[in-house]
Each structure stands twice: as structure tokens, then as C-alpha cells.
Amino acid sequence: MKNLRTKIDNWFERLDERWKALPVGKQRRYTLLFFAGYLLLSVAVMLKVCYDVAQQDNKITIEHIENPIIKKEKSSVPPLDSIETILKKKLYER
């Protein structure tokens, strides 16, 4: 665990050294581009939320949850992982 932490710390140190080695103009440009991307993503999410809220058919339907096992029992094929089929094997009978 300590070895992993040391490797991660060394990796962050190398990234920090590479960042400091860049000219200040490039640092500003990268920072501005990252901020612009973040701002664009934030605006897109806000627009999507506003669009979803403004929809007219924005209703929540509350329904009962149906048990999938009961649905399978209605079919003609019995479930393969049923306890009954396991207990009916001749291996367990005397």
C-alpha cells in the first residue's frame, strides 16, 4: 500500500514539474480552455434540466411492482432453479 502511495505521489510530482515548466501563456490558455469546457458542460446540463421541467406531460406514474417469479409460473415451462426440482432429484431420495 505504501509503495502504491509513493508511486502516485511521484506521478503527481512529475505532472506538477511539467506544468511549471510550461510558459505562463500556455498555462493561462490551458486553464481558460478547461474552464470554457466546464462552463459549456454546465450550461448544457442546465438547459437539459430546464427543458425536462418545462415538459407538459411531466407526471409520475405510481404502479405496483410485479413479482417476476409469479409471471414465470403462469407460463407452461417450470422454472429451472426451483427448490422443488432440486428436492425431487433421485440423489436426495432414500
Side-chain angles (χ1 to χ4, degrees):
M1 186 68 178
K2 192 172 185 178
N3 190 16
L4 178 64
R5 186 174 185 163
T6 306
K7 286 182 180 182
I8 291 173
D9 286 340
N10 289 338
W11 182 65
F12 277 123
E13 288 294 326
R14 285 195 309 266
L15 282 177
D16 191 40
E17 288 172 5
R18 286 178 60 191
W19 177 255
K20 288 179 182 177
L22 287 174
V24 177
K26 277 197 173 188
Q27 287 181 1
R28 286 184 183 162
R29 184 179 303 145
Y30 283 139
T31 305
L32 186 64
L33 285 173
F34 287 134
F35 178 72
Y38 175 76
L39 186 66
L40 183 67
L41 185 63
S42 298
V43 168
V45 169
M46 290 296 231
L47 288 174
K48 175 69 174 145
V49 168
C50 290
Y51 175 75
D52 287 344
V53 168
Q55 294 275 330
Q56 292 292 334
D57 59 343
N58 202 8
K59 296 181 182 177
I60 297 175
T61 57
I62 300 173
E63 298 176 356
H64 291 287
I65 300 172
E66 295 185 21
N67 192 346
I69 295 174
I70 294 174
K71 285 183 179 180
K72 286 183 181 179
E73 287 181 4
K74 290 180 183 177
S75 66
S76 62
V77 178
L80 296 176
D81 59 345
S82 173
I83 293 176
E84 293 175 9
T85 58
I86 294 171
L87 291 177
K88 286 185 177 179
K89 287 185 178 178
K90 292 184 179 182
L91 178 68
Y92 296 108
E93 293 180 2
R94 292 186 180 185

